[in-house]
Amino acid sequence: MKIISITAFPFSLPTRRDFRWAGMLGNLGNFVAVRVETENDVVGWGEATPLPDWGGDFGRHAGETVKTVIEMVQNVLGPALIGSDVSDVTRAAQIMNHVAVGNVYAKCAVSIALYDAWGKVTGLPVYRLLGGKVRDGVAVAHMVGLMPQAEAVQEAVMAVEDGVGTLQIKGGVDSARDISLITELRRLLGDGITLRMDANQGYGHGKNASRVVRQLTDAGVSLVEQPSQGLRYMSEVTASSSVPIVADESCWDIHDAYDVVRERAADCFSIYLAKAGGFGGACKVADFAESHLMACDVNGSIESAIGTAANVHFALARPSVSLAAVIAISAPSGTHPYRVAGHYYDDDVLAEPMTVKDGALLPLDAPGLGIVVDEEKLQSFRSDK
């Protein structure tokens, strides 16, 4: 089934409240939709959630913007793939890597769209194209953004009341606030809830980062994500920590994953489809982690339904992706199953809400990404009109 067109355009979703993390300059909810069309009118959808102010350690990986993603898809990546068979996803990744260095968010959006179209051609959900599911649901971790402590406590408690068992708490700006917040949440929520503090590299280097992690541990934290920047400093924290350390900014692709393991710089990986350039690259990281007995999660920048569906399929199909996923629970306006948990947007581009049970997203069993994109609504959310 030959590809006949690849197009891209921007869109935005309305947020339930302001969500942000350390170093974030823009706003949540800005995306690029990628539309791949094949012969016989099969359409695959992909998505990018680019951020210009977020990248790897010491600028090792560059940020992207909505405009750069559209430019790369429309004028570089897309033209190079026209005429290819939509099922040749590995070859497509090779072609994209040949015609463009970096630009992994743009490549990921194309990758997702190719898999969606391929699944629709074969009548199979994407998780089957990735090898089949190894779990029956994807546990969701609710992200509690940077906000005053009283608001953060309210957000966290309501998310747990909704049914999730893991919270990702954004911190890294004020370590004293982070320690106080973890102390309060552990007191209120008890020992059965996983509290994951994400510092976004904010605790400095060496002894300071190690000291803060020890204090968070004493306060009741379960995991700490990216407390420092750089493998040398991450390895110092990891060696001194009694709770697992998660590498996010330090691990984008399989090459970073190798370096993290070699330097013993983390206990777990946080995998983004976007950081790895799509399904193929993300699967390499997850399978590498499995071979080193490391747990992973699938994470991102809180995607719309298109990107969330891709995350669900990936998490279903990879054994190492066993940590609760920091992803949205996608639903159209007025149909969200929860007040707070996984509820980042007031509306979304899918026709029916995703199904959730006991804080876990259930498999999407329809062909491709398993969702019906409401194209009329998607057009209404376009931000270039």
Side-chain angles (χ1 to χ4, degrees):
M1 193 72 71
K2 303 298 183 184
I3 299 168
I4 61 172
S5 73
I6 300 179
T7 56
F9 58 87
F11 71 102
S12 299
L13 294 180
T15 54
R16 175 177 61 82
R17 64 169 301 158
D18 184 42
F19 293 93
R20 58 192 55 250
W21 50 84
M24 181 181 181
L25 300 178
N27 296 313
L28 201 66
N30 298 303
F31 313 96
V32 176
V34 170
R35 184 181 189 274
V36 168
E37 184 175 352
T38 76
E39 299 168 316
N40 297 337
D41 302 320
V42 175
V43 172
W45 290 101
E47 176 201 306
T49 313
L51 296 169
D53 51 4
W54 192 80
D57 284 341
F58 306 117
R60 184 173 179 178
H61 299 281
E64 295 175 55
T65 70
V66 166
K67 288 184 178 180
T68 62
V69 168
I70 292 172
E71 171 69 20
M72 293 302 298
V73 172
Q74 297 266 93
N75 297 318
V76 180
L77 305 177
L81 296 177
I82 299 300
S84 299
D85 192 292
V86 75
S87 68
D88 289 339
V89 291
T90 302
R91 182 169 181 268
Q94 291 177 322
I95 291 171
M96 289 193 289
N97 287 336
H98 176 72
V99 299
V101 175
N103 294 280
V104 289
Y105 277 77
K107 292 173 181 176
C108 176
V110 174
S111 170
I112 293 170
L114 294 178
Y115 272 86
D116 186 31
W118 179 23
K120 290 171 179 174
V121 169
T122 61
L124 296 173
V126 167
Y127 70 76
R128 293 203 178 277
L129 302 179
L130 297 175
K133 67 177 187 283
V134 297
R135 53 184 56 87
D136 294 322
V138 178
V140 172
H142 180 68
M143 182 189 78
V144 179
L146 282 175
M147 60 185 74
Q149 181 162 330
E151 293 182 33
V153 169
Q154 182 183 43
E155 178 88 3
V157 170
M158 291 179 69
V160 170
E161 289 175 349
D162 283 338
V164 299
T166 299
L167 299 170
Q168 184 203 50
I169 313 297
K170 291 294 188 179
V173 174
D174 179 352
S175 62
R177 171 264 188 193
D178 299 346
I179 295 163
S180 175
L181 178 55
I182 291 295
T183 301
E184 179 69 1
L185 290 176
R186 184 57 73 201
R187 182 185 70 81
L188 290 171
L189 300 174
D191 295 333
I193 300 300
T194 299
L195 300 178
R196 170 176 168 175
M197 174 58 69
D198 181 11
N200 286 115
Q201 305 176 312
Y203 293 148
H205 303 130
K207 289 182 171 58
N208 185 70
S210 296
R211 175 184 59 80
V212 174
V213 170
R214 282 196 298 272
Q215 291 176 308
L216 286 167
T217 302
D218 291 341
V221 82
S222 307
L223 307 89
V224 180
E225 182 178 342
Q226 201 68 44
S228 192
Q229 180 174 197
L231 299 187
R232 171 188 169 187
Y233 303 109
M234 284 284 288
S235 64
E236 291 177 8
V237 178
T238 300
S240 65
S241 175
S242 61
V243 298
I245 301 298
V246 183
D248 183 0
E249 286 92 337
S250 290
C251 183
W252 280 53
D253 55 24
I254 186 62
H255 306 293
D256 286 350
Y258 176 84
D259 291 343
V260 168
V261 168
R262 184 190 62 210
E263 299 297 326
R264 300 184 179 182
D267 303 294
C268 312
F269 294 140
S270 187
I271 301 175
Y272 293 25
L273 296 181
K275 289 191 300 186
F279 282 113
C283 287
K284 289 179 182 179
V285 176
D287 294 343
F288 179 79
E290 183 185 8
S291 73
H292 286 80
L293 307 179
M294 296 175 70
C296 305
D297 78 329
V298 59
N299 199 342
S301 300
I302 310 299
E303 287 80 0
S304 85
I306 298 168
T308 297
N311 285 329
V312 170
H313 286 282
F314 172 70
L316 287 171
R318 280 296 171 277
S320 65
V321 185
S322 56
L323 301 177
V326 188
I327 59 176
I329 297 169
S330 302
S333 177
T335 67
H336 205 284
Y338 294 143
R339 297 170 301 166
V340 168
H343 189 168
Y344 303 99
Y345 302 115
D346 285 331
D347 202 354
D348 214 319
V349 298
L350 73 175
E352 299 290 338
M354 293 183 178
T355 304
V356 62
K357 181 180 180 182
D358 299 327
L361 282 161
L362 300 186
L364 301 164
D365 289 322
L369 290 177
I371 61 171
V372 175
V373 173
D374 185 331
E375 296 194 40
E376 183 176 338
K377 183 180 286 187
L378 178 56
Q379 291 297 321
S380 74
F381 285 136
R382 286 185 68 150
S383 50
D384 59 349
K385 291 185 177 180

